[in-house]
Amino acid sequence: MQDWEGERMFRTAELGQKVSKAEFNQAVPDLRIALIEAQQEIRKAGVPVIIVFAGVDGAGKGESANLLQEWMDPRWIVTRAYEDPSEEEGERPELWRYWRDLPREGQVGIFLSAWYSRPYLDRVYGKISRSEFDEALDRILQFERMLANDGALILKFWMHLGKKAQEKRFKKLEKDLLQAWRVTKKDWKHWKLYDKFIDAAEHTIMKTSIGRAPWTIVEGADARFRGLKVGQTVLEGIRRRIGEVEAETAAPSDSENSYALSTGGSEDSIGSASVLSALDMTKALPKDEYRNELDKYQAMVNLLSREARERKISTILVFEGWDAGGKGGNIRRITAALDARDYQVIPIAAPTDEELSHHYLWRFWRHLPRGGRFTFFDRSWYGRVLVERIEGFATEKTWRRAYGEINNFESHLVDHGDVLLKFWLHVTKEEQAARFKAREEISFKRWKLTEEDWRNREKWDEYEIAVNDMVAQTSTRAAPWVLVEGNNKRFARIKVLKTICRRLHERLSDD
C-alpha cells in the first residue's frame, strides 16, 4: 500500500516533460518582466515571500534558486542555505536560525536545506520513529501557519527525479569536468536509499501541504521545464496574494476590526474576580530577614548559574507587571549575583521599523541566549495580549491568535532544555499611586514617570481582565506564570530569587 501511494503521488513528476529551447527563450522575457512587476507589488503591499526548496538530490533546487535571483531584482531577495548547525546554532532551539533569517516585509526569502531537512533525513536514516517524525512535522506546520496568518506568502517546491533519472543526471555531471563537483559520495549514498527518501517525502508532503502553504511538486529532469514551472508558480502565488491584500484593504471584515471592551474586557471574563484579586497583598518581609535572605539566595543563584553555564543550560526570565511594579529592581538583584559576561537584559519598548516589518515574535527569537547564559526580558512577547490588545494596536483576531502562538514559542524553549520563568509583578492601584508620587519627588527616579504611566491607570480594570485572560490561556504546565505579591518590595524580590533557585535546581537535577 505504501509503495503504491508513493508512486501515485510522484507519477506526475516522472512524465518526462520537456520544454524546447525555442519555447523557453520565447517565454522567459515576458515571465521576467511579470516577476519584476509582481515583486514591486509585493514591496508596496509589504508582504514577505518565503520560498522553500526541498526534494531529491540533483533535481535542481540550487539551480532554481539561482534562476529566481537572475530573473527578479536581487536587491530584495535573501537566499539562505543550511548545513549542520554551528556550535552557536546548536545552543539554541532548532528554529532559531530560521527565524533569524526570515525576510522582512516586501522581501523574498529563498530557503534551501531548511526546516524540513533535519527531520526528513533523520527519518530516512532511522534516527527517529514515525511518531517523532510526525511531531517534528507538526512543529513545522505550526511555524508556517504562524507566518501565513501574519500575512506571509509561503511557496514550497518539492523538486523530484525518478531513480533512473537521478542516476542519469549524476553520471552526466560526473563526466563534465566543470560540473563533477556537484556530485558527492553522499549523493550516491542517498541514491541507494532512494525508496526510503521517497517514502519520507510522500509522508512529508501529505502532512504539511496545507491551504496557506501548499507543496508544488516539480519534475526536475529538464532544466528549462523546471525553471519555467518554478517561475510561473512564483508569479501566480504573488499575484494571488496581492489580490487577497487588495480585497482585505477594500473590505475589511467586521471580525478583524472589532475591538470591543465595553465592559473592560472580553466575553471570556465574566464577573469581577481575577487571579490578581485573589492574591494576598499584605505579605511582607522585615528588613533584617530580607538582608539575610538576599545574601543567601544571591549566593545560591551564583552557584547554580555556574553549573548551568558548564552544562550549557540557558535561562530565560520574563518580567511583566504594572508600571512601578518592581521589574527593574528585581532584575538588578538577580544580575548582581551573575557574571556580567553571562547575561543580557532586553528592555522591550515600542517596536522599531525593522521589527515591525517582521512577525512580532521575530525580535524575541533573535535575542534568545546561547547555552548557559541568562536573558532577561523587561516586558516581552506578552505585549501583544496586553498593551496591544488594550490600546487597539492589534485586532481581536490577532491577539486571540497570539495565545496559541506564544504557547508554541515557549514550548520550543522548554523542549530545547531551557529554563523559562515568567513573573507577573503585582501591586495594588493604591501602591502604584504612592510609588508614582515618590518618583516625582526623587530627582534620579523622575525620568521613569511619564504621562503614559498616569494614562494607563485609567484603564486599570481593562488591563486586569487582560492579565487574567493571559494567565488562563498561557500558564501551561511547561511554562506556568508566577504571580508575585509586590506591594512589599523585599518580599517580592526574595520570592523571585527563591523561585529561580528552585527551578534551576530542578532543571539541573533532571539530567
Side-chain angles (χ1 to χ4, degrees), residues 29 57 73 93 96 147 208 230 234 240 245 261 295 316 351 420 441 459 465 474 490 508:
D57 298 327
D73 188 338
W96 175 78
L147 300 177
T208 62
V230 168
V234 169
R240 183 174 61 252
V245 170
L261 287 171
D295 290 342
I316 299 161
L420 173 62
E441 297 171 1
K459 298 184 178 182
I465 290 172
T474 65
R490 295 186 294 272
L508 292 167

Side-chain angles (χ1 to χ4, degrees), residues 247-259:
E248 292 164 4
T249 303
S253 67
D254 293 337
S255 61
E256 270 291 316
N257 290 277
S258 63
Y259 187 77

Side-chain angles (χ1 to χ4, degrees), residues 1-15:
M1 178 68 178
Q2 189 65 49
D3 292 341
W4 179 76
E5 288 285 354
E7 180 184 335
R8 184 182 66 182
M9 174 171 287
F10 291 107
R11 185 179 298 161
T12 57
E14 296 180 8
L15 298 176

Side-chain angles (χ1 to χ4, degrees), residues 26 33 55 106 155 216 226 228 285 299 332 352 403 426 443 459:
Q26 183 178 2
I33 292 171
L155 300 169
T216 298
R226 179 181 72 215
L228 289 180
L285 197 65
R332 286 193 296 274
T352 64
Y403 294 129
H426 183 57
S443 58
K459 298 184 178 182

Side-chain angles (χ1 to χ4, degrees), residues 108-120:
V108 176
I110 300 176
F111 293 87
L112 299 106
S113 301
W115 41 90
Y116 285 96
S117 184
R118 195 275 307 165
Y120 177 57

Side-chain angles (χ1 to χ4, degrees), residues 227-245:
L228 289 180
K229 177 70 173 178
V230 168
Q232 290 166 353
T233 303
V234 169
L235 177 61
E236 292 167 4
I238 291 176
R239 284 176 170 172
R240 183 174 61 252
R241 185 71 189 97
I242 291 298
E244 292 170 353
V245 170

Side-chain angles (χ1 to χ4, degrees), residues 8 11 63 67 71 81 92 94 104 118 157-158 187 201 241 247 269 290 317 319 340 343 354 379 390 447 488-489 503:
R8 184 182 66 182
R11 185 179 298 161
E63 292 93 328
L67 206 56
W71 287 350
R92 293 179 167 95
E94 185 174 0
R104 63 183 298 169
R118 195 275 307 165
F157 295 95
W158 195 275
D187 292 327
R241 185 71 189 97
S269 304
Y290 168 70
L317 302 175
F319 287 87
Y343 72 84
E354 181 185 21
R379 299 200 185 278
I390 300 303
W447 66 271
N488 183 273
K489 293 181 179 180
R503 184 66 193 97

